[in-house]
């Protein structure tokens, strides 16, 4: 009898332990399910983002920043970054107004200003804006000649940005700027421009040299007039020239004790002028 009671007691204890284990397992499963549901129901939207919330396919509104609660399976959200994004426009080959083929590399700066419009009107706004910007770039380049394209790059970039911004405004996107990074010209044209630049430099050098010679001739003329009025100055200048020649060529120059023979032609010339 005592054995039966012991067995019954052991069975009761085992059953209680099993119930506790099962309860603990069920509680753990419940906690896991609850955490999973909460993790799928809570979204954290940063300050620089906004999210468009849909419930069963219908728009609920724009939510964020901070904690956002959604119903799993029923609710979905689409996130949009409100910061300025830089999009590289693929290199475009275009013809200018004067039929010169150029390759232009550009970038476009844009940002989402109305996430709701962006979610409802365009699927992928970044490639859509990039493709339209590339088309606009070719059109604008075709309306200007090469000189205008090279010298007024900023104005052309602003014009492209204005046209693209006007087109993408209904998408809830704002184009802040367009930057033309590089303009590649054909090799033949580059060589011609280099030759033209070299010829211009040669022309300026010749003009500068001619101007210098003209100024020097006026100075020489003034010096000659002064020397003609002062024979002593001519002698001093002659002595100075002889010293320079001797020093430069290591020569020994023998001169008469006076340099009156230098002043003699000047005196004859002055006499002829008086007559």
């Amino acid at each position: 009898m005592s054995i039966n009671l012991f067995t019954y007691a052991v069975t009761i204890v085992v059953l209680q332990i099993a119930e506790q284990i099962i309860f603990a397992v069920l509680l753990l499963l419940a906690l896991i399910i609850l955490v999973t549901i909460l993790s799928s129901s809570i979204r954290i939207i940063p300050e620089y983002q906004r999210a468009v919330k849909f419930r069963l396919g219908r728009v609920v509104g724009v939510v964020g920043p901070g904690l956002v609660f959604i119903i799993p399976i029923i609710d979905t959200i689409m996130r949009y970054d409100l910061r300025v994004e830089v999009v590289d426009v693929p290199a475009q080959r275009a013809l200018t107004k004067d039929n010169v083929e150029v390759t232009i590399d550009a970038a476009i700066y844009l940002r989402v200003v109305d996430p709701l419009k962006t979610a409802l009107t365009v699927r992928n706004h970044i490639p859509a804006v990039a493709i339209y910007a590339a088309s606009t770039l070719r059109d604008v380049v075709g309306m200007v000649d090469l000189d205008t394209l090279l010298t007024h790059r900023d104005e052309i970039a602003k014009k492209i940005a204005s046209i693209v911004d006007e087109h993408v405004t209904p998408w809830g996107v704002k184009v802040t700027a367009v930057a033309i990074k590089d303009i590649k010209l054909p090799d033949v044209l580059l060589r011609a421009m280099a030759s033209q630049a070299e010829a211009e430099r040669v022309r300026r050098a010749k003009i500068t040299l001619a101007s210098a010679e003209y100024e020097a001739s006026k100075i020489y003329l003034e010096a000659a007039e002064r020397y003609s009025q002062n024979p002593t100055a001519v002698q001093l200048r002659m002595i100075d020239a002889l010293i320079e020649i001797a020093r430069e060529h290591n020569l020994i120059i023998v001169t008469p004790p006076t340099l009156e023979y230098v002043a003699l032609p000047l005196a004859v010339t002055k006499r002829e002028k008086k007559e």
Side-chain angles (χ1 to χ4, degrees):
M1 185 68 179
S2 59
I3 296 176
N4 292 333
L5 290 175
F6 177 75
T7 303
Y8 178 75
V10 171
T11 303
I12 294 298
V13 172
V14 171
L15 290 175
Q16 290 178 351
I17 294 173
E19 288 178 357
Q20 292 177 357
I21 294 174
I22 293 172
F23 177 76
V25 171
L26 292 176
L27 182 61
L28 181 60
L29 290 175
L31 288 175
I32 293 174
I33 294 173
L34 180 61
V35 171
T36 303
I37 293 174
L38 289 176
S39 63
S40 61
S41 301
I42 298 176
R43 296 289 187 272
I44 299 177
I45 307 298
E47 184 67 32
Y48 54 83
Q49 289 184 353
R50 296 295 183 272
V52 180
K53 187 176 180 180
F54 296 88
R55 178 166 295 164
L56 297 176
R58 293 182 178 272
V59 176
V60 176
V62 179
V63 294
L67 287 175
V68 176
F69 296 92
I70 64 173
I71 302 173
I73 302 175
I74 296 177
D75 292 344
T76 57
I77 62 172
M78 295 179 63
R79 295 174 182 252
Y80 290 96
D81 200 318
L82 303 183
R83 294 173 295 182
V84 175
E85 299 184 61
V86 183
V87 182
D88 283 329
V89 179
Q92 301 295 312
R93 299 177 64 183
L95 283 176
T96 61
K97 189 177 180 180
D98 48 355
N99 295 324
V100 178
E101 184 179 1
V102 295
T103 302
I104 302 179
D105 190 10
I108 186 168
Y109 296 80
L110 58 91
R111 60 186 294 262
V112 175
V113 294
D114 192 338
L116 186 58
K117 285 185 179 180
T118 306
L120 298 179
T121 55
V122 61
R123 184 173 181 180
N124 295 316
H125 65 281
I126 292 179
V129 175
I131 292 174
Y132 187 78
S135 176
T136 305
L137 177 63
R138 293 192 299 269
D139 294 340
V140 173
V141 169
M143 293 187 293
V144 297
D145 54 23
L146 181 62
D147 291 338
T148 304
L149 178 63
L150 296 177
T151 57
H152 297 82
R153 181 183 300 188
D154 293 338
E155 288 79 359
I156 294 173
K158 290 178 181 178
K159 184 176 182 180
I160 296 171
S162 176
I163 296 173
V164 177
D165 181 62
E166 183 180 359
H167 181 79
V168 303
T169 296
W171 299 351
V173 178
K174 173 69 176 177
V175 175
T176 59
V178 171
I180 298 177
K181 298 188 293 183
D182 188 21
I183 300 176
K184 297 180 181 179
L185 305 177
D187 294 338
V188 176
L189 184 59
L190 288 175
R191 289 193 293 269
M193 293 176 66
S195 300
Q196 181 181 2
E198 184 178 0
E200 178 66 18
R201 287 194 295 270
V202 171
R203 183 184 70 85
R204 292 180 181 179
K206 289 184 177 180
I207 292 175
T208 303
L209 181 61
S211 299
E213 297 213 350
Y214 175 72
E215 295 294 332
S217 65
K218 293 196 296 184
I219 295 174
Y220 285 148
L221 181 60
E222 293 178 1
E225 291 178 355
R226 287 175 180 257
Y227 285 144
S228 65
Q229 297 174 1
N230 192 347
T232 304
V234 176
Q235 294 180 8
L236 294 175
R237 185 69 185 90
M238 184 65 182
I239 293 173
D240 187 56
L242 293 174
I243 292 174
E244 290 180 0
I245 295 172
R247 182 186 299 115
E248 182 177 357
H249 299 284
N250 295 323
L251 300 177
I252 297 176
I253 299 177
V254 179
T255 62
T258 62
L259 291 176
E260 294 179 355
Y261 72 97
V262 177
L264 182 61
L266 294 176
V268 174
T269 302
K270 290 176 62 178
R271 187 173 182 180
E272 290 179 353
K273 286 183 178 180
K274 289 181 180 180
E275 293 177 357

